[in-house]
Amino acid sequence: MASVARRLRREEDKTIGLVPTMGALHEGHLSLVREARRMCDVVVVSVFVNPAQFGPGEDFERYPRDLTGDTVKLADYNVDYIFAPAPEEIYPKGFSTYVSVEGLSEPMEGVARPGHFRGVATVLTVLFNTIRPDFAFFGQKDAQQASVVRRLVRDLAFDIEVVVLPTVREQSGLALSSRNAYLGDEDRRAAAVLYRALSQAREVYMEGERSPKRLAEAVRGQFDAEPRARLEYVGVVDADTMEKLDRIPEDRPVLIALAAHVGRTRLIDNIVLQPARQKSRASAEP
Ligand code: AMP
């Protein structure tokens, strides 16, 4: 790890872009790499299945790992460094310092996966201090994570610009995810309900509905019609703070985020409702 850091120090007059990933790369990850390549002189892709962000009974052991395949994919993108540390490089013996972003990491994924964002914020802090990037690239696919990262960077005064890029989807609307590899044919077909449900909520919003409860009902209605999928939660929240809303505001972007189980696979997805009167950075959502 020290050697990557040392080599990067020699690039000090160049801009460094970091794309943190857990590997099993797909077109969603590669869209981040492409933008990093466009924006930065030096591109670092980290590949690390971070044990600290998985809870007991989650899929840490069976999470897909394919460093050879990832290296082949990245060869097309002229990446400067692939940083794939062993767990003990990130967490040396006696590691005992953790970073928690309070508030916005608590609802939704925070309830469903206690400790998840603490693991994310901690590993990113180590990666940021090791790589010292000027830019760090994240996907809107993990919208709450993107908000947590923005807050982490601001609060701990990292001199890093966080870039969040739109969710890449299959034709069916299914958001690309390394976990889609768990899905058999039937479940993959059924998993299209996540985006269908979000799109239905958007449609209801476009027709003038401003009650978060009704938008959530529109989501639930789609899940009721798909027996292979079970909705875990749907949140209608402020897109920056993750705070629950009583009414959809006309001047701020709203995030509709959900998690669902399709067979044994847990998937998440989201959309941003952008008020017509205001365009903000969350307008990345297609
Ligand atoms: P992961 O390997 O799942 O930790 O993801 C690494 C990064 O890729 C995160 O910033 C994700 O939000 C982003 N990402 C994952 N899937 C997609 C997708 N379908 N579209 C855009 N970005 C994605």
Side-chain angles (χ1 to χ4, degrees), residues 20-23 26 28-29 32 63 138-139 141-142 145 166-168 176:
T21 81
M22 298 204 297
H26 51 66
H29 300 113
L32 309 185
Y63 194 86
F138 296 88
K141 157 83 188 337
D142 298 275
Q145 170 176 278
T167 303
V168 178
L176 298 194

Side-chain angles (χ1 to χ4, degrees), residues 50-59 98-101 103-122 144 148 179 232-233 259 261 266 268:
N50 174 30
Q53 71 187 67
F54 288 79
E58 291 187 358
D59 58 345
Y98 292 87
V99 180
S100 288
V101 178
L104 79 182
S105 69
E106 289 162 15
M108 302 190 296
E109 286 300 280
V111 173
R113 305 184 69 189
H116 170 67
F117 287 123
R118 178 181 186 253
V120 170
T122 300
Q144 192 174 5
V148 167
R179 290 189 169 95
E232 183 178 331
Y233 69 76
H261 296 261
R266 182 177 189 277
I268 60 171

Side-chain angles (χ1 to χ4, degrees), residues 27 48 62 154 160 171 185 202 207 209 229 231 272:
E27 202 36 57
F48 182 60
R62 72 178 190 124
R154 192 200 70 178
I160 297 172
Q171 198 87 50
D185 289 349
R202 192 204 302 273
E207 285 163 6
E209 182 59 65
L231 183 65
V272 174

Side-chain angles (χ1 to χ4, degrees), residues 175-192:
L176 298 194
S177 163
S178 304
R179 290 189 169 95
N180 291 355
Y182 301 149
L183 299 169
D185 289 349
E186 273 300 284
D187 283 340
R188 182 171 281 260
R189 187 198 50 71

